[in-house]
Amino acid sequence: MQMLPTTTNVQLQFPMQELEQIESAIQASQQWLATLESRRNTLTAELELVTRPRTLVTNPPLKTVGPGFEYRGALFRRWSYIAIYSNLLRRLWAEFPEHRDAMAKAMGRLGRTRVYVAKSFNELFPDRPIGWVLRHSSYLVDGWYMDTNLTNRTQMSRILSAAVAAAGLKWGKDVKAYWQRTPLGV
C-alpha cells in the first residue's frame, strides 16, 4: 500500500526558501524599477527644457530711411545733401507760391552776405562774375534761383527749417530731412 505524502514530506521536498528569495528579489526589483522610472521621467523633462527651441523675443524690424526727406508723409530718396536741399525747396516753392517772398526773406536772414534764393542771378550773387554764378546756382521755379554753393548739412537744415516755418509747416513734423541712413521704428 502506498502512502500519500504527508505535508511534512511535501514541505521538505518543496524549496520554500527559494520561493521566498525569488519573491524578495522581485519586490526589490520592482522598487528599483520604480526608482529608475521616476529618475528617467525627471531627466526626460529636464532634457525637454534644455533642448526645446527657444522663441526669441525680437523687436520689430526697423525701417531705414534716407538719405532723403519726408514731405507731408511721403518719403523721397536723394543721394546728396544738395539734392535733398534743392528738392525740398522746389516742393515748397511749388506748393506755396503765396509764401515765396516770406520764405526767401526768412532764409535770407540766416546769411551774412547771402540770400540763398532770389529772383535774379544778380540778387543771388551781386558781386560775382556770371561764370561763377552759373556754377554755384540753379533754377528753382517760375523765375526764382537758388544758391547751390552749400555743403554743410547743418547750415542746410537751418535754411530749410526757416523756409518750412515761413510756409506755415512744421520742421520735424510736416517736413523732415534724413541726411544719412536713419533707422525708424515701424
Side-chain angles (χ1 to χ4, degrees), residues 148-178:
T148 58
N149 189 27
L150 303 166
T151 57
N152 183 322
R153 70 181 187 193
T154 303
Q155 180 185 23
M156 289 183 210
S157 286
R158 287 181 44 236
I159 295 166
L160 288 171
S161 172
V164 165
L169 300 175
K170 296 219 183 288
W171 181 255
K173 184 178 179 188
D174 300 315
V175 180
K176 299 174 188 174
Y178 300 104

PDB file of all heavy atoms in Angstrom, residues 148-178:
ATOM      1  N   THR A 148      23.403 127.049 -54.752  1.00  0.00           N
ATOM      2  CA  THR A 148      23.744 125.631 -54.557  1.00  0.00           C
ATOM      3  C   THR A 148      25.176 125.474 -54.071  1.00  0.00           C
ATOM      4  O   THR A 148      25.723 124.374 -54.067  1.00  0.00           O
ATOM      5  CB  THR A 148      23.547 124.830 -55.861  1.00  0.00           C
ATOM      6  OG1 THR A 148      24.342 125.406 -56.876  1.00  0.00           O
ATOM      7  CG2 THR A 148      22.086 124.792 -56.260  1.00  0.00           C
ATOM      8  N   ASN A 149      25.768 126.559 -53.653  1.00  0.00           N
ATOM      9  CA  ASN A 149      27.142 126.536 -53.152  1.00  0.00           C
ATOM     10  C   ASN A 149      27.124 126.242 -51.646  1.00  0.00           C
ATOM     11  O   ASN A 149      27.637 127.007 -50.840  1.00  0.00           O
ATOM     12  CB  ASN A 149      27.831 127.878 -53.453  1.00  0.00           C
ATOM     13  CG  ASN A 149      29.314 127.833 -53.162  1.00  0.00           C
ATOM     14  OD1 ASN A 149      29.927 126.782 -53.228  1.00  0.00           O
ATOM     15  ND2 ASN A 149      29.881 128.987 -52.834  1.00  0.00           N
ATOM     16  N   LEU A 150      26.474 125.163 -51.291  1.00  0.00           N
ATOM     17  CA  LEU A 150      26.327 124.757 -49.887  1.00  0.00           C
ATOM     18  C   LEU A 150      26.810 123.322 -49.739  1.00  0.00           C
ATOM     19  O   LEU A 150      26.514 122.475 -50.582  1.00  0.00           O
ATOM     20  CB  LEU A 150      24.861 124.835 -49.459  1.00  0.00           C
ATOM     21  CG  LEU A 150      24.161 126.185 -49.614  1.00  0.00           C
ATOM     22  CD1 LEU A 150      22.665 126.020 -49.471  1.00  0.00           C
ATOM     23  CD2 LEU A 150      24.690 127.159 -48.585  1.00  0.00           C
ATOM     24  N   THR A 151      27.514 123.035 -48.672  1.00  0.00           N
ATOM     25  CA  THR A 151      27.970 121.666 -48.413  1.00  0.00           C
ATOM     26  C   THR A 151      27.686 121.219 -46.987  1.00  0.00           C
ATOM     27  O   THR A 151      27.757 120.042 -46.680  1.00  0.00           O
ATOM     28  CB  THR A 151      29.485 121.530 -48.662  1.00  0.00           C
ATOM     29  OG1 THR A 151      30.174 122.467 -47.837  1.00  0.00           O
ATOM     30  CG2 THR A 151      29.818 121.767 -50.123  1.00  0.00           C
ATOM     31  N   ASN A 152      27.364 122.146 -46.127  1.00  0.00           N
ATOM     32  CA  ASN A 152      27.191 121.859 -44.713  1.00  0.00           C
ATOM     33  C   ASN A 152      25.733 121.520 -44.425  1.00  0.00           C
ATOM     34  O   ASN A 152      24.845 122.369 -44.570  1.00  0.00           O
ATOM     35  CB  ASN A 152      27.642 123.089 -43.910  1.00  0.00           C
ATOM     36  CG  ASN A 152      27.578 122.887 -42.427  1.00  0.00           C
ATOM     37  OD1 ASN A 152      26.665 122.255 -41.918  1.00  0.00           O
ATOM     38  ND2 ASN A 152      28.548 123.454 -41.738  1.00  0.00           N
ATOM     39  N   ARG A 153      25.478 120.288 -43.981  1.00  0.00           N
ATOM     40  CA  ARG A 153      24.080 119.880 -43.756  1.00  0.00           C
ATOM     41  C   ARG A 153      23.444 120.622 -42.581  1.00  0.00           C
ATOM     42  O   ARG A 153      22.234 120.814 -42.553  1.00  0.00           O
ATOM     43  CB  ARG A 153      23.971 118.374 -43.592  1.00  0.00           C
ATOM     44  CG  ARG A 153      24.554 117.833 -42.326  1.00  0.00           C
ATOM     45  CD  ARG A 153      24.413 116.336 -42.259  1.00  0.00           C
ATOM     46  NE  ARG A 153      24.836 115.838 -40.981  1.00  0.00           N
ATOM     47  CZ  ARG A 153      25.049 114.574 -40.726  1.00  0.00           C
ATOM     48  NH1 ARG A 153      24.886 113.677 -41.654  1.00  0.00           N
ATOM     49  NH2 ARG A 153      25.422 114.199 -39.527  1.00  0.00           N
ATOM     50  N   THR A 154      24.239 121.052 -41.618  1.00  0.00           N
ATOM     51  CA  THR A 154      23.691 121.831 -40.501  1.00  0.00           C
ATOM     52  C   THR A 154      23.174 123.162 -41.021  1.00  0.00           C
ATOM     53  O   THR A 154      22.068 123.598 -40.664  1.00  0.00           O
ATOM     54  CB  THR A 154      24.767 122.049 -39.412  1.00  0.00           C
ATOM     55  OG1 THR A 154      25.253 120.773 -38.993  1.00  0.00           O
ATOM     56  CG2 THR A 154      24.201 122.804 -38.230  1.00  0.00           C
ATOM     57  N   GLN A 155      23.945 123.782 -41.884  1.00  0.00           N
ATOM     58  CA  GLN A 155      23.532 125.054 -42.474  1.00  0.00           C
ATOM     59  C   GLN A 155      22.282 124.844 -43.343  1.00  0.00           C
ATOM     60  O   GLN A 155      21.335 125.626 -43.280  1.00  0.00           O
ATOM     61  CB  GLN A 155      24.678 125.618 -43.316  1.00  0.00           C
ATOM     62  CG  GLN A 155      24.381 126.942 -43.978  1.00  0.00           C
ATOM     63  CD  GLN A 155      25.509 127.379 -44.899  1.00  0.00           C
ATOM     64  OE1 GLN A 155      26.299 126.562 -45.380  1.00  0.00           O
ATOM     65  NE2 GLN A 155      25.582 128.690 -45.138  1.00  0.00           N
ATOM     66  N   MET A 156      22.282 123.772 -44.136  1.00  0.00           N
ATOM     67  CA  MET A 156      21.125 123.483 -44.987  1.00  0.00           C
ATOM     68  C   MET A 156      19.878 123.245 -44.141  1.00  0.00           C
ATOM     69  O   MET A 156      18.787 123.699 -44.498  1.00  0.00           O
ATOM     70  CB  MET A 156      21.406 122.272 -45.873  1.00  0.00           C
ATOM     71  CG  MET A 156      22.400 122.523 -46.959  1.00  0.00           C
ATOM     72  SD  MET A 156      22.562 121.046 -47.980  1.00  0.00           S
ATOM     73  CE  MET A 156      24.235 121.178 -48.506  1.00  0.00           C
ATOM     74  N   SER A 157      20.022 122.543 -43.028  1.00  0.00           N
ATOM     75  CA  SER A 157      18.874 122.296 -42.135  1.00  0.00           C
ATOM     76  C   SER A 157      18.302 123.603 -41.599  1.00  0.00           C
ATOM     77  O   SER A 157      17.083 123.774 -41.539  1.00  0.00           O
ATOM     78  CB  SER A 157      19.290 121.409 -40.955  1.00  0.00           C
ATOM     79  OG  SER A 157      19.472 120.093 -41.360  1.00  0.00           O
ATOM     80  N   ARG A 158      19.183 124.502 -41.191  1.00  0.00           N
ATOM     81  CA  ARG A 158      18.715 125.790 -40.667  1.00  0.00           C
ATOM     82  C   ARG A 158      17.968 126.580 -41.733  1.00  0.00           C
ATOM     83  O   ARG A 158      16.917 127.160 -41.474  1.00  0.00           O
ATOM     84  CB  ARG A 158      19.898 126.608 -40.135  1.00  0.00           C
ATOM     85  CG  ARG A 158      20.453 126.067 -38.831  1.00  0.00           C
ATOM     86  CD  ARG A 158      21.616 126.878 -38.245  1.00  0.00           C
ATOM     87  NE  ARG A 158      21.393 128.304 -38.286  1.00  0.00           N
ATOM     88  CZ  ARG A 158      22.229 129.182 -38.874  1.00  0.00           C
ATOM     89  NH1 ARG A 158      23.319 128.767 -39.470  1.00  0.00           N
ATOM     90  NH2 ARG A 158      21.957 130.466 -38.864  1.00  0.00           N
ATOM     91  N   ILE A 159      18.518 126.586 -42.943  1.00  0.00           N
ATOM     92  CA  ILE A 159      17.892 127.330 -44.045  1.00  0.00           C
ATOM     93  C   ILE A 159      16.540 126.721 -44.394  1.00  0.00           C
ATOM     94  O   ILE A 159      15.534 127.426 -44.533  1.00  0.00           O
ATOM     95  CB  ILE A 159      18.823 127.344 -45.280  1.00  0.00           C
ATOM     96  CG1 ILE A 159      20.110 128.117 -44.955  1.00  0.00           C
ATOM     97  CG2 ILE A 159      18.111 127.932 -46.484  1.00  0.00           C
ATOM     98  CD1 ILE A 159      21.221 127.907 -45.972  1.00  0.00           C
ATOM     99  N   LEU A 160      16.509 125.386 -44.524  1.00  0.00           N
ATOM    100  CA  LEU A 160      15.251 124.707 -44.857  1.00  0.00           C
ATOM    101  C   LEU A 160      14.214 124.887 -43.753  1.00  0.00           C
ATOM    102  O   LEU A 160      13.035 125.094 -44.023  1.00  0.00           O
ATOM    103  CB  LEU A 160      15.499 123.216 -45.108  1.00  0.00           C
ATOM    104  CG  LEU A 160      16.225 122.878 -46.404  1.00  0.00           C
ATOM    105  CD1 LEU A 160      16.615 121.406 -46.422  1.00  0.00           C
ATOM    106  CD2 LEU A 160      15.351 123.219 -47.607  1.00  0.00           C
ATOM    107  N   SER A 161      14.665 124.823 -42.525  1.00  0.00           N
ATOM    108  CA  SER A 161      13.761 124.997 -41.385  1.00  0.00           C
ATOM    109  C   SER A 161      13.088 126.364 -41.422  1.00  0.00           C
ATOM    110  O   SER A 161      11.887 126.503 -41.153  1.00  0.00           O
ATOM    111  CB  SER A 161      14.539 124.810 -40.090  1.00  0.00           C
ATOM    112  OG  SER A 161      13.766 125.136 -38.979  1.00  0.00           O
ATOM    113  N   ALA A 162      13.855 127.384 -41.764  1.00  0.00           N
ATOM    114  CA  ALA A 162      13.300 128.742 -41.863  1.00  0.00           C
ATOM    115  C   ALA A 162      12.275 128.821 -42.987  1.00  0.00           C
ATOM    116  O   ALA A 162      11.199 129.420 -42.829  1.00  0.00           O
ATOM    117  CB  ALA A 162      14.426 129.749 -42.091  1.00  0.00           C
ATOM    118  N   ALA A 163      12.576 128.208 -44.129  1.00  0.00           N
ATOM    119  CA  ALA A 163      11.638 128.226 -45.263  1.00  0.00           C
ATOM    120  C   ALA A 163      10.364 127.458 -44.922  1.00  0.00           C
ATOM    121  O   ALA A 163       9.254 127.907 -45.240  1.00  0.00           O
ATOM    122  CB  ALA A 163      12.304 127.621 -46.497  1.00  0.00           C
ATOM    123  N   VAL A 164      10.510 126.318 -44.256  1.00  0.00           N
ATOM    124  CA  VAL A 164       9.350 125.497 -43.873  1.00  0.00           C
ATOM    125  C   VAL A 164       8.444 126.284 -42.926  1.00  0.00           C
ATOM    126  O   VAL A 164       7.215 126.306 -43.087  1.00  0.00           O
ATOM    127  CB  VAL A 164       9.824 124.162 -43.238  1.00  0.00           C
ATOM    128  CG1 VAL A 164       8.694 123.454 -42.516  1.00  0.00           C
ATOM    129  CG2 VAL A 164      10.437 123.263 -44.307  1.00  0.00           C
ATOM    130  N   ALA A 165       9.043 126.952 -41.948  1.00  0.00           N
ATOM    131  CA  ALA A 165       8.249 127.741 -40.990  1.00  0.00           C
ATOM    132  C   ALA A 165       7.531 128.891 -41.701  1.00  0.00           C
ATOM    133  O   ALA A 165       6.355 129.163 -41.422  1.00  0.00           O
ATOM    134  CB  ALA A 165       9.154 128.271 -39.881  1.00  0.00           C
ATOM    135  N   ALA A 166       8.214 129.540 -42.629  1.00  0.00           N
ATOM    136  CA  ALA A 166       7.590 130.657 -43.355  1.00  0.00           C
ATOM    137  C   ALA A 166       6.449 130.170 -44.245  1.00  0.00           C
ATOM    138  O   ALA A 166       5.512 130.917 -44.529  1.00  0.00           O
ATOM    139  CB  ALA A 166       8.640 131.385 -44.200  1.00  0.00           C
ATOM    140  N   ALA A 167       6.487 128.906 -44.658  1.00  0.00           N
ATOM    141  CA  ALA A 167       5.407 128.329 -45.473  1.00  0.00           C
ATOM    142  C   ALA A 167       4.231 127.889 -44.609  1.00  0.00           C
ATOM    143  O   ALA A 167       3.169 127.546 -45.128  1.00  0.00           O
ATOM    144  CB  ALA A 167       5.927 127.141 -46.272  1.00  0.00           C
ATOM    145  N   GLY A 168       4.412 127.915 -43.291  1.00  0.00           N
ATOM    146  CA  GLY A 168       3.329 127.524 -42.392  1.00  0.00           C
ATOM    147  C   GLY A 168       3.354 126.053 -42.002  1.00  0.00           C
ATOM    148  O   GLY A 168       2.394 125.543 -41.427  1.00  0.00           O
ATOM    149  N   LEU A 169       4.460 125.381 -42.277  1.00  0.00           N
ATOM    150  CA  LEU A 169       4.598 123.966 -41.908  1.00  0.00           C
ATOM    151  C   LEU A 169       5.534 123.846 -40.710  1.00  0.00           C
ATOM    152  O   LEU A 169       6.181 124.814 -40.316  1.00  0.00           O
ATOM    153  CB  LEU A 169       5.162 123.158 -43.089  1.00  0.00           C
ATOM    154  CG  LEU A 169       4.336 123.161 -44.377  1.00  0.00           C
ATOM    155  CD1 LEU A 169       5.075 122.427 -45.480  1.00  0.00           C
ATOM    156  CD2 LEU A 169       2.973 122.535 -44.143  1.00  0.00           C
ATOM    157  N   LYS A 170       5.614 122.655 -40.155  1.00  0.00           N
ATOM    158  CA  LYS A 170       6.486 122.420 -39.002  1.00  0.00           C
ATOM    159  C   LYS A 170       7.648 121.526 -39.405  1.00  0.00           C
ATOM    160  O   LYS A 170       7.448 120.425 -39.905  1.00  0.00           O
ATOM    161  CB  LYS A 170       5.706 121.770 -37.868  1.00  0.00           C
ATOM    162  CG  LYS A 170       4.608 122.647 -37.320  1.00  0.00           C
ATOM    163  CD  LYS A 170       4.533 122.507 -35.818  1.00  0.00           C
ATOM    164  CE  LYS A 170       3.409 123.317 -35.238  1.00  0.00           C
ATOM    165  NZ  LYS A 170       3.638 124.720 -35.252  1.00  0.00           N
ATOM    166  N   TRP A 171       8.871 122.032 -39.156  1.00  0.00           N
ATOM    167  CA  TRP A 171      10.082 121.268 -39.412  1.00  0.00           C
ATOM    168  C   TRP A 171      10.171 120.140 -38.378  1.00  0.00           C
ATOM    169  O   TRP A 171       9.950 120.365 -37.203  1.00  0.00           O
ATOM    170  CB  TRP A 171      11.299 122.181 -39.305  1.00  0.00           C
ATOM    171  CG  TRP A 171      12.605 121.510 -39.568  1.00  0.00           C
ATOM    172  CD1 TRP A 171      13.542 121.159 -38.651  1.00  0.00           C
ATOM    173  CD2 TRP A 171      13.120 121.130 -40.840  1.00  0.00           C
ATOM    174  NE1 TRP A 171      14.611 120.585 -39.267  1.00  0.00           N
ATOM    175  CE2 TRP A 171      14.379 120.546 -40.627  1.00  0.00           C
ATOM    176  CE3 TRP A 171      12.649 121.220 -42.150  1.00  0.00           C
ATOM    177  CZ2 TRP A 171      15.165 120.051 -41.657  1.00  0.00           C
ATOM    178  CZ3 TRP A 171      13.430 120.728 -43.177  1.00  0.00           C
ATOM    179  CH2 TRP A 171      14.673 120.155 -42.926  1.00  0.00           C
ATOM    180  N   GLY A 172      10.419 118.947 -38.821  1.00  0.00           N
ATOM    181  CA  GLY A 172      10.486 117.797 -37.922  1.00  0.00           C
ATOM    182  C   GLY A 172       9.162 117.073 -37.804  1.00  0.00           C
ATOM    183  O   GLY A 172       9.089 115.978 -37.268  1.00  0.00           O
ATOM    184  N   LYS A 173       8.094 117.704 -38.282  1.00  0.00           N
ATOM    185  CA  LYS A 173       6.782 117.056 -38.268  1.00  0.00           C
ATOM    186  C   LYS A 173       6.247 116.933 -39.698  1.00  0.00           C
ATOM    187  O   LYS A 173       6.065 115.833 -40.201  1.00  0.00           O
ATOM    188  CB  LYS A 173       5.805 117.841 -37.395  1.00  0.00           C
ATOM    189  CG  LYS A 173       4.463 117.171 -37.277  1.00  0.00           C
ATOM    190  CD  LYS A 173       3.517 117.931 -36.372  1.00  0.00           C
ATOM    191  CE  LYS A 173       2.195 117.187 -36.345  1.00  0.00           C
ATOM    192  NZ  LYS A 173       1.168 117.908 -35.674  1.00  0.00           N
ATOM    193  N   ASP A 174       5.982 118.052 -40.347  1.00  0.00           N
ATOM    194  CA  ASP A 174       5.485 118.034 -41.728  1.00  0.00           C
ATOM    195  C   ASP A 174       6.614 117.773 -42.724  1.00  0.00           C
ATOM    196  O   ASP A 174       6.400 117.177 -43.777  1.00  0.00           O
ATOM    197  CB  ASP A 174       4.830 119.378 -42.088  1.00  0.00           C
ATOM    198  CG  ASP A 174       3.651 119.692 -41.184  1.00  0.00           C
ATOM    199  OD1 ASP A 174       2.837 118.794 -40.939  1.00  0.00           O
ATOM    200  OD2 ASP A 174       3.558 120.844 -40.718  1.00  0.00           O
ATOM    201  N   VAL A 175       7.790 118.241 -42.374  1.00  0.00           N
ATOM    202  CA  VAL A 175       8.950 118.119 -43.257  1.00  0.00           C
ATOM    203  C   VAL A 175      10.137 117.649 -42.411  1.00  0.00           C
ATOM    204  O   VAL A 175      10.423 118.223 -41.367  1.00  0.00           O
ATOM    205  CB  VAL A 175       9.297 119.471 -43.928  1.00  0.00           C
ATOM    206  CG1 VAL A 175      10.500 119.335 -44.837  1.00  0.00           C
ATOM    207  CG2 VAL A 175       8.098 120.024 -44.689  1.00  0.00           C
ATOM    208  N   LYS A 176      10.804 116.597 -42.900  1.00  0.00           N
ATOM    209  CA  LYS A 176      11.980 116.064 -42.208  1.00  0.00           C
ATOM    210  C   LYS A 176      13.058 115.784 -43.241  1.00  0.00           C
ATOM    211  O   LYS A 176      12.759 115.317 -44.338  1.00  0.00           O
ATOM    212  CB  LYS A 176      11.655 114.752 -41.498  1.00  0.00           C
ATOM    213  CG  LYS A 176      10.586 114.857 -40.447  1.00  0.00           C
ATOM    214  CD  LYS A 176      10.240 113.482 -39.898  1.00  0.00           C
ATOM    215  CE  LYS A 176       9.031 113.562 -38.982  1.00  0.00           C
ATOM    216  NZ  LYS A 176       8.582 112.244 -38.556  1.00  0.00           N
ATOM    217  N   ALA A 177      14.286 116.056 -42.863  1.00  0.00           N
ATOM    218  CA  ALA A 177      15.419 115.723 -43.731  1.00  0.00           C
ATOM    219  C   ALA A 177      16.194 114.587 -43.080  1.00  0.00           C
ATOM    220  O   ALA A 177      16.451 114.608 -41.875  1.00  0.00           O
ATOM    221  CB  ALA A 177      16.317 116.932 -43.930  1.00  0.00           C
ATOM    222  N   TYR A 178      16.530 113.594 -43.857  1.00  0.00           N
ATOM    223  CA  TYR A 178      17.362 112.481 -43.404  1.00  0.00           C
ATOM    224  C   TYR A 178      18.668 112.570 -44.185  1.00  0.00           C
ATOM    225  O   TYR A 178      18.751 112.139 -45.326  1.00  0.00           O
ATOM    226  CB  TYR A 178      16.662 111.143 -43.657  1.00  0.00           C
ATOM    227  CG  TYR A 178      15.348 111.026 -42.931  1.00  0.00           C
ATOM    228  CD1 TYR A 178      14.143 111.166 -43.612  1.00  0.00           C
ATOM    229  CD2 TYR A 178      15.311 110.792 -41.558  1.00  0.00           C
ATOM    230  CE1 TYR A 178      12.935 111.065 -42.942  1.00  0.00           C
ATOM    231  CE2 TYR A 178      14.095 110.693 -40.889  1.00  0.00           C
ATOM    232  CZ  TYR A 178      12.928 110.831 -41.573  1.00  0.00           C
ATOM    233  OH  TYR A 178      11.728 110.744 -40.918  1.00  0.00           O
TER     234      TYR A 178
END
